[in-house]
Amino acid sequence: MDLTAEQRAIRDTVREFAREEIRPEAERADREERFPEDVWDGLADLDMTGLTTPEEYGGFDADSLTYSLVNEELAGGMLAVATALSVHCLATSCIAEFGDERHRERWLPEMVDGRPVGAFALSEPHAGSNPAAMSTEARREGDEYVINGDKQWITNGERSGVIILFAKTDREDDRSITQFLVPKDTEGLEVGPTEDKLGLRASDTTSLTFDDARIPAANRLTEEGRGLSAALSILTGGRIAIASQAVGLAQHALDESLAYAQEREQFGDAIGEIQTIRHKLAEMRTKVQAGRLLTRDAARRADRGEEHREAASMAKYVASENAVDVASEAVQIHGGYGYTTEGGVERLYRDAKITTIYEGTSNIQKNVIARELLD
């Protein structure tokens, strides 16, 4: 699919940044479970932290395809970095789309420069795939809302400065979910310890606990009861981003496997001459490209203003499941070397799995696709 000259230039710039600045940091950041803040500052210098912010607030205001390309290339460097940026961009998107002029002027120009970092608090310990079951409550008291409850699996949980929060105004009413903007320094907001995860270990993932945390009523971003529809609308675009990240990770795994197959010798020849390996590489290439084409189709539909919920779900479902398969084959091709941290591809294998889970599991994506077909 053709890209504009500007899209190619942005893709190439981010690709070079990912290879020169992110990949050298990836192994250490993963091992130390530490987010590479210098890389984040580099993204801000490239104007990437303002990708989904309108131009009048200093942002880039990227179209969906450009946003997809950036996510793909960043994930080719390190998935944790791409995930942090996509969540930050979810937050800026919410402020831009649902906030009023006061919210936009107060927060967006600073977030364009990378600080404060944004977080998106929807999931809870007992409400992941079914957000309507959330129990966090924001109860109106005069000119304030008093928030009580727990959020879990929050990317940028510790390093964020502003949180987009979804809570019920009546804990017993599933129809009362509302969207709020919560500054991180709000009294009564406590950040839990960083989660010890299988993959995405450099990502700052925490819980958030609200204990009589008070925010001005003016920090409400949607009318009461309109928060869930707002979240689902924003997450449709988020699923295109995650699909793009899955493609970028899978491409990295394929690239590493191609290089290794041409260098590693067994029985006097490079293993790339063995038919079994050649077939694996062919299957990997096909899966990467299938995910890429579905993802770009979803992005282009979004840019044309077409209904793209089904396309986004198909892209995320296929690209994420394929990323797991491709990363697994990369480990297999590398053999014992692939199973060690020195080989590099084992991190891709561990990271790939999360793309089938966050922002809607594969089963949720199949539910969306089936609903579009049958309802």
Side-chain angles (χ1 to χ4, degrees):
M1 294 183 180
D2 292 336
L3 304 176
T4 66
E6 181 182 28
Q7 287 168 338
R8 287 195 298 272
I10 292 169
R11 178 200 62 191
D12 293 346
T13 297
V14 177
R15 179 178 294 172
E16 180 180 6
F17 180 83
R19 292 181 176 177
E20 299 298 323
E21 304 295 333
I22 299 178
R23 285 192 188 181
E25 294 290 323
E27 182 181 345
R28 181 172 61 182
D30 179 79
R31 182 176 64 253
E32 296 177 356
E33 299 182 53
R34 172 190 54 80
F35 187 83
E37 294 294 347
D38 288 347
V39 167
W40 184 261
D41 293 337
L43 289 176
D45 290 340
L46 291 176
D47 295 329
M48 294 298 103
T49 46
L51 270 178
T52 61
T53 301
E55 292 179 359
E56 56 263 43
Y57 303 100
F60 192 91
D61 201 14
D63 58 80
S64 292
L65 181 54
T66 300
Y67 186 51
S68 172
L69 294 170
V70 170
N71 273 277
E72 179 180 334
E73 296 303 332
L74 287 179
M78 188 179 194
L79 184 62
V81 171
T83 299
L85 182 65
S86 65
V87 170
H88 175 77
C89 287
L90 280 179
T92 57
S93 293
C94 287
I95 296 170
E97 184 168 344
F98 302 107
D100 60 26
E101 193 59 29
R102 291 170 301 169
H103 302 129
R104 292 191 287 266
E105 288 183 351
R106 165 64 183 87
W107 295 101
L108 291 180
E110 293 182 3
M111 296 177 78
V112 163
D113 293 332
R115 314 281 178 178
V117 176
F120 187 85
L122 179 65
S123 296
E124 296 189 2
H126 303 290
S129 293
N130 180 21
M134 70 174 61
S135 60
T136 298
E137 182 181 54
R139 187 180 67 258
R140 182 73 179 256
E141 288 189 3
D143 292 333
E144 294 181 316
Y145 281 92
V146 182
I147 307 169
N148 285 282
D150 299 286
K151 295 293 181 177
Q152 197 166 29
W153 323 122
I154 308 304
T155 298
N156 299 334
E158 177 63 45
R159 56 193 296 272
S160 61
V162 59
I163 298 160
I164 303 302
L165 172 72
F166 297 86
K168 292 177 177 177
T169 55
D170 179 350
R171 184 171 283 138
E172 304 304 318
D173 185 358
D174 290 352
R175 298 168 300 176
S176 71
I177 295 173
T178 305
Q179 183 180 200
F180 300 91
L181 186 156
V182 182
K184 185 65 169 300
D185 60 1
T186 298
E187 188 175 350
L189 169 56
E190 181 179 348
V191 180
T194 302
E195 299 285 355
D196 188 9
K197 306 183 296 296
L198 167 70
L200 209 70
R201 295 178 69 83
S203 177
D204 167 27
T205 311
T206 73
S207 60
L208 299 175
T209 297
F210 298 85
D211 183 7
D212 285 340
R214 292 177 176 269
I215 60 171
N219 282 22
R220 193 186 70 203
L221 295 181
T222 60
E223 296 178 8
E224 291 190 2
R226 299 294 299 273
L228 185 56
S229 61
L232 296 178
S233 171
I234 289 293
L235 286 175
T236 297
R239 285 167 181 170
I240 297 175
I242 301 304
S244 307
Q245 293 168 18
V247 171
L249 184 151
Q251 183 66 58
H252 186 182
L254 173 59
D255 292 343
E256 293 294 321
S257 299
L258 283 169
Y260 188 77
Q262 292 169 314
E263 296 168 0
R264 174 66 168 164
E265 291 189 358
Q266 286 287 349
F267 308 110
D269 288 310
I271 63 172
E273 297 301 316
I274 300 172
Q275 187 181 64
T276 300
I277 300 298
R278 296 172 74 88
H279 284 184
K280 285 183 182 294
L281 293 170
E283 291 169 359
M284 293 163 72
R285 162 64 175 163
T286 301
K287 289 184 175 183
V288 171
Q289 191 66 355
R292 177 177 288 121
L293 293 175
L294 279 170
T295 301
R296 293 194 180 175
D297 175 65
R300 283 193 161 90
R301 288 175 184 271
D303 284 334
R304 292 195 296 263
E306 299 174 2
E307 172 56 53
H308 58 282
R309 185 181 310 149
E310 180 187 29
S313 286
M314 288 193 297
K316 184 182 183 299
Y317 168 51
V318 171
S320 63
E321 294 290 344
N322 284 357
V324 173
D325 292 344
V326 170
S328 176
E329 289 288 39
V331 172
Q332 197 70 27
I333 288 171
H334 282 72
Y337 185 59
Y339 197 68
T340 67
T341 56
E342 184 181 359
V345 292
E346 61 85 31
R347 174 176 56 81
L348 301 180
Y349 182 48
R350 288 187 288 106
D351 283 356
K353 185 59 183 176
I354 191 59
T355 65
T356 71
I357 297 172
Y358 59 11
E359 293 199 31
T361 65
S362 291
N363 284 336
I364 290 295
Q365 305 314 317
K366 286 188 275 189
N367 285 346
V368 172
I369 297 163
R371 187 163 57 243
E372 293 293 322
L373 284 171
L374 298 170
D375 295 349

